[in-house]
């Protein structure tokens, strides 16, 4: 039996590619689907990491520029076309400010409330846009192990069928089917583990960005509230 297994191993029959070729069509479909999910997962991980890093760096520069600005209206006019989430928060606040103060008399409490509502809605919208592709990571992280398990169960069923057909329960008979089954599980884990880690990490970074935009909105709201009190 051991000699037989050694021959199989030496001939490369237990290599990943050989296991894929030997697998049943159902197990092959499972493996292909999981491999595509893994490739797409890594594409999302790389692209999102680059995007969130870029947003963070641009937000640093934006906040520094805003803190040095003497004229909020001019600063808004200079950055009104920016696609940066924090710039959009400022834009929503300034648009609401101009609408609310365009005609008198000014409802100060109503203006403050509308400013806060407009900026909070923009923050939620921008976070949802950034988090849109993360849903795929969550799906892969939760579903991929079970898809791999389905391939495992199917492969083991084939192994039992081989035992019944050949009336031989030796390891040499069942080993190929079991190896294919376990390989499907391994691919499922290979897709799921990075997806779960990336989803948790990116969710944390999105929460930090959301909190950062919230603090920026609060600061802007305080600035405009002072202007209301001074009657500017």
């Amino acid at each position: 039996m051991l000699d037989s297994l050694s021959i199989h191993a030496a001939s490369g029959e237990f290599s990943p590619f050989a296991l894929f070729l030997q697998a049943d069509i159902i197990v092959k479909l499972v493996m292909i689907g999981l491999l595509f999910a893994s490739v797409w997962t890594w594409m999302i991980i790389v692209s999102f990491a680059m995007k969130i890093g870029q947003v963070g760096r641009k937000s640093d520069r934006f906040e520094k520029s805003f803190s040095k600005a003497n004229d909020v209206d001019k600063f808004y006019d200079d950055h009104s076309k920016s696609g940066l989430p924090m710039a959009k928060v400022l834009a929503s606040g300034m648009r609401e400010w101009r609408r609310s103060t365009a005609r008198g008399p000014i409802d100060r409490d109503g203006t403050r409330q509308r400013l806060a509502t407009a900026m909070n809605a923009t923050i939620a919208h921008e976070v949802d846009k950034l988090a849109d592709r993360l849903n795929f990571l969550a799906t892969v992280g939760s579903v991929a192990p079970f898809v791999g398990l389905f391939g495992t169960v199917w492969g083991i069923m084939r192994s039992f069928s081989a035992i019944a057909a050949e009336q031989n329960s030796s390891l040499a008979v069942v080993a190929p089917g079991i190896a294919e089954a376990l390989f499907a599980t391994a691919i499922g884990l290979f897709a799921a583990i990075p997806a779960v880690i990336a989803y948790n990490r990116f969710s944390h970074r999105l929460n930090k960005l959301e909190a950062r935009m919230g603090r920026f909105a609060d600061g802007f709201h305080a600035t405009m509230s002072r202007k209301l009190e001074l009657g500017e």
Side-chain angles (χ1 to χ4, degrees), residues 26-27 30-31 33-34 140 142-156 180-192:
I26 301 297
V27 181
V30 168
M31 291 179 181
L34 290 172
V140 171
S142 59
V143 173
F146 294 101
V147 175
L149 182 61
F150 170 76
T152 298
V153 172
W154 191 271
I156 292 175
E180 297 160 13
L182 295 177
F183 186 51
T185 299
I187 296 176
L189 294 176
F190 180 76

Side-chain angles (χ1 to χ4, degrees), residues 62 66 72 75-77 79-82 84-101 111-126 213-214 216-218 220-221 224:
F62 183 84
F66 181 78
V72 176
F75 184 85
Y76 163 67
D77 291 336
H79 297 82
S80 59
K81 295 182 180 180
S82 174
L84 187 67
M86 195 171 290
K88 292 183 179 180
V89 174
L90 173 65
S92 65
M94 282 302 300
R95 285 194 298 268
E96 185 56 48
W97 168 262
R98 291 179 175 180
R99 284 194 295 264
S100 297
T101 58
T111 298
R112 291 189 182 97
Q113 184 176 359
R114 287 191 294 272
L115 275 175
T117 300
M119 289 189 291
N120 288 335
T122 302
I123 290 171
H125 176 68
E126 292 301 313
M213 288 192 291
F216 175 81
D218 290 342
F220 177 76
H221 188 275
M224 306 315 283

